[in-house]
Amino acid sequence: MATDSPVTAANRAPADRLVIFDTTLRDGEQAPGCSMTDREKLRVARALADLGVDVIEAGFPAASDGDFASVQSIAREVRGPTICGLARCGEHDIRRAWEALEPAESSRIHVFIATSPIHRKFKLQLTQEEVLRRAVRGVAMARDFCGNVEFSAEDAARTEPEFLAEVLSAVIEAGASTINVPDTVGYAIPGEFADLIRYLREHVRGIEKAVVSVHCHDDLGMAVANSLAAVEAGARQVECTVNGIGERAGNCSLEEIVMAVRTRADRLLVDTGVNSTRLYPTSRLVAAVTGVHVPRNKAVVGDNAFAHEAGIHQHGMLRHESTYEIMRPRDVGMDSSRLVLGKHSGRHAFRDRVTELGLDLDEAELDRAFIAFKQLADRKKEVFDADIEALVLRSDADQSGPWRLAAMNIRSGKGTVPSAEVALVHADGETRRETAEGDGPVAAAFRAIELATGVDARLRNFDIRNVTVGGDAQGEAVVTVEHDGRVYQGKGFDTDIVEASSLAFLQAINRICSTGRVHPQPDTQNVAAAGSA
Ligand code: KIV
Ligand code: ZN
């Protein structure tokens, strides 16, 4: 049983250092439609390490065997940041968290319990005394395994400040080195949240031994503002996610907090260890992996974040960029991300681009991706970054479950009933062929895939968009399906949108199969929701 982790910036923040605790893979991933496969999580974790975050919250190991495995593989393979796992205050959760984290170079167990009156009464049905007792016991138990323990008082922003101070004092005494103050429901407003942090810094016993952390949700659009207010009041860790993904309206956005702290260092007087030029590539990777796209006008990483349309602005910019620009695109890694490759680009150029995009590939993956790149470059004049991301993710998707699309034949046109014939190959070598009709070619293809796999996947949402511009652009399809009460997502990329849609649908089915919770398909057809697409 290990009891000590190396002391890093993550568990001892100097006065001017703001610890960046990334929870994209835990709080971000648990948001509907943001789920990732193990390979995707590992890819994102490596990108976060390159970005220079201090802590990666890799998941909630006790939540499922899948969560456990992905936290464990990140703990084994990702070096640099501290790897953290979430746990409730019970023994099973804490033990599972430690088992998953054990291979990490530097690890943290993050235990939490809700402290607010609403949660105590309706969710936990526990008294203040019992919540306090469980919090202390959870932290003490976690400390038996790991020298670096964080405690979170869930719904802290709606907890009585006196009780919150009492709980936090007790958990510091029990060994927590980071105490986190979550605004779980995004209810706080900046001045009030800053007052709470100041109050805690005055009233929590032993506060000087711990890093004060904040974790803000964005229900009122104030997650970043509340986090910054807390930093001004003395918080030295911010919990955040790439692109602000997360439950409901999301979490504090990593790129916004990092750039705010950097741009306004004059006032905030803290700095982070983040390499800001990796912000844009990391944002793109998370968007591509989750299928949750970044709005064009999103601060820091939106495509229009540095676009100047108004003539008067353009004029000012030509005179001097500081007239209308408080950050430069290159500060967030935007300018170097616009290179275009073509069919004459060699393996070297391709490898450089892949690395620049944060797509950490081993030699075998690089070989596969390069072949796919050459095939795409034959069909498309220019291959953009988004195309490269798409083809790497497509190759990840091909390995996300037992089924692979071997062939597809679509018949559709005016006056004909659309039909699709698919051939799918299973990992055990069997090939299954099925033909089906539908209101449109996509619906027919989905139905044929359902028949061939025998998996009933009720279509919940279906989105299609261009990955890049131009008539030869690849299409990206994102499909959300429901199976046995659970929601699964799949993505597919191809220059042919029916094929992109079918790959997305098949990926969702592969994800269902990988959970081992497959229910046989009922007789009735249920993919009519694809409409006449
Ligand atoms: O929002 C929240 O309170 C959380 C905690 C588990 C930190 O995500
Ligand atoms: Zn949260």
Side-chain angles (χ1 to χ4, degrees):
M1 229 182 249
T3 50
D4 262 324
S5 266
V7 175
T8 62
N11 56 7
R12 193 145 309 169
D16 58 348
R17 174 65 184 266
L18 181 65
V19 174
I20 296 297
F21 176 113
D22 178 276
T23 184
T24 306
L25 297 171
R26 200 276 298 169
D27 223 356
E29 204 261 349
Q30 93 195 24
C34 288
S35 63
M36 306 177 208
T37 62
D38 284 2
R39 284 174 80 81
E40 289 169 341
K41 286 186 190 169
L42 197 52
R43 216 179 264 306
V44 170
R46 289 197 175 116
L48 291 169
D50 284 350
L51 178 64
V53 305
D54 299 293
V55 186
I56 295 175
E57 186 164 50
F60 186 174
S64 70
D65 289 347
D67 264 50
F68 180 90
S70 63
V71 175
Q72 193 176 47
S73 73
I74 291 168
R76 263 195 205 119
E77 297 195 28
V78 177
R79 293 291 173 256
T82 294
I83 310 299
C84 175
L86 184 68
R88 286 163 295 198
C89 284
E91 185 177 348
H92 170 75
D93 275 35
I94 294 169
R95 196 173 281 285
R96 286 297 275 169
W98 178 246
E99 283 164 11
L101 293 169
E102 208 166 1
E105 184 182 60
S106 161
S107 48
R108 173 183 293 186
I109 300 181
H110 177 189
V111 292
F112 77 100
I113 190 165
T115 50
S116 68
I118 296 180
H119 282 236
R120 289 192 318 256
K121 180 168 178 198
F122 297 107
K123 186 175 87 172
L124 301 174
Q125 290 163 337
L126 293 177
T127 60
Q128 284 191 345
E129 293 66 37
E130 184 56 16
V131 167
L132 178 67
R133 201 181 67 77
R134 289 192 190 193
V136 168
R137 205 185 48 184
V139 168
M141 208 183 291
R143 271 304 304 260
D144 283 344
F145 293 107
C146 183
N148 183 347
V149 173
E150 169 169 337
F151 172 79
S152 278
E154 191 188 3
D155 206 14
R158 293 191 299 170
T159 299
E160 306 90 329
E162 305 72 23
F163 177 57
L164 185 59
E166 197 184 335
V167 173
L168 297 181
S169 304
V171 295
I172 291 175
E173 202 182 333
S177 47
T178 300
I179 49 158
N180 186 34
V181 183
D183 180 20
T184 304
V185 290
Y187 176 75
I189 52 178
E192 173 195 41
F193 199 56
D195 285 347
L196 175 64
I197 299 301
R198 274 188 218 101
Y199 172 88
L200 294 173
R201 291 187 69 217
E202 274 170 28
H203 292 87
V204 172
R205 289 185 307 281
I207 193 80
E208 66 292 344
K209 288 187 269 174
V211 174
V212 177
S213 167
V214 289
H215 173 114
C216 297
H217 280 265
D218 208 31
D219 299 66
L220 293 173
M222 282 187 276
V224 175
N226 285 336
S227 303
L228 285 173
V231 170
E232 283 202 280
R236 286 296 176 264
Q237 173 175 288
V238 168
E239 303 198 353
C240 47
T241 60
V242 175
N243 298 337
I245 63 168
E247 287 281 21
R248 308 178 308 277
N251 289 52
C252 172
S253 140
L254 182 149
E255 51 284 348
E256 291 177 25
I257 195 88
V258 165
M259 288 315 286
V261 156
R262 201 172 148 175
T263 309
R264 297 306 313 274
D266 59 318
R267 163 121 196 161
L268 294 161
L269 307 175
V270 290
D271 200 6
T272 72
V274 167
N275 170 3
S276 67
T277 63
R278 299 302 308 162
L279 286 171
Y280 184 64
T282 312
S283 156
R284 290 184 62 102
L285 175 68
V286 169
V289 158
T290 57
V292 176
H293 301 297
V294 174
R296 298 187 79 77
N297 64 340
K298 161 97 167 64
V300 182
V301 291
D303 278 348
N304 285 356
F306 296 92
H308 300 273
E309 245 346 284
I312 193 164
H313 288 203
Q314 289 173 349
H315 177 73
M317 285 290 292
L318 289 173
R319 290 281 169 89
H320 199 282
E321 43 183 34
S322 67
T323 50
Y324 284 102
E325 223 161 62
I326 56 166
M327 306 167 267
R328 294 160 306 179
R330 60 181 174 277
D331 297 337
V332 302
M334 233 183 211
D335 56 344
S336 62
S337 295
R338 296 271 158 92
L339 271 174
V340 176
L341 298 183
K343 67 175 174 187
H344 300 299
S345 306
R347 199 167 186 281
H348 254 5
F350 180 71
R351 180 205 287 270
D352 285 355
R353 202 69 213 127
V354 159
T355 309
E356 177 59 34
L357 291 171
L359 297 163
D360 210 348
L361 303 185
D362 61 29
E363 282 307 309
E365 289 171 330
L366 188 75
D367 285 344
R368 271 199 305 275
F370 187 61
I371 293 169
F373 160 71
K374 282 290 179 188
Q375 287 164 350
L376 184 66
D378 272 341
R379 280 185 282 149
K380 240 177 143 274
K381 258 206 331 267
E382 294 174 311
V383 178
F384 297 96
D385 290 344
D387 290 316
I388 298 175
E389 287 158 355
L391 63 87
V392 169
L393 295 174
R394 176 175 174 167
S395 129
D396 282 354
D398 287 347
Q399 293 162 56
S400 66
W403 293 102
R404 199 170 51 75
L405 182 65
M408 190 167 73
N409 207 336
I410 299 291
R411 195 156 342 110
S412 132
K414 203 164 165 49
T416 47
V417 178
S419 67
E421 185 191 349
V422 299
L424 301 183
V425 181
H426 193 267
D428 65 13
E430 185 195 359
T431 300
R432 287 209 204 140
R433 290 174 203 284
E434 284 292 346
T435 304
E437 293 181 343
D439 291 342
V442 173
F446 287 4
R447 180 64 187 147
I449 291 171
E450 269 194 311
L451 290 172
T453 57
V455 178
D456 158 39
R458 193 167 299 268
L459 193 65
R460 283 274 220 89
N461 199 30
F462 172 47
D463 247 334
I464 189 128
R465 61 164 206 138
N466 279 1
V467 171
T468 54
V469 290
D472 58 358
Q474 289 199 90
E476 175 187 359
V478 181
V479 162
T480 310
V481 301
E482 192 182 319
H483 176 83
D484 196 25
R486 284 169 185 262
V487 171
Y488 300 82
Q489 199 191 62
K491 287 183 293 291
F493 305 89
D494 203 89
T495 46
D496 174 334
I497 59 166
V498 181
E499 187 163 338
S501 309
S502 304
L503 288 168
F505 191 71
L506 188 61
Q507 189 188 39
I509 287 192
N510 269 330
R511 286 183 170 175
I512 297 170
C513 296
S514 321
T515 63
R517 294 196 196 96
V518 183
H519 275 228
Q521 191 189 32
D523 291 338
T524 51
Q525 175 168 331
N526 64 20
V527 291
S532 53

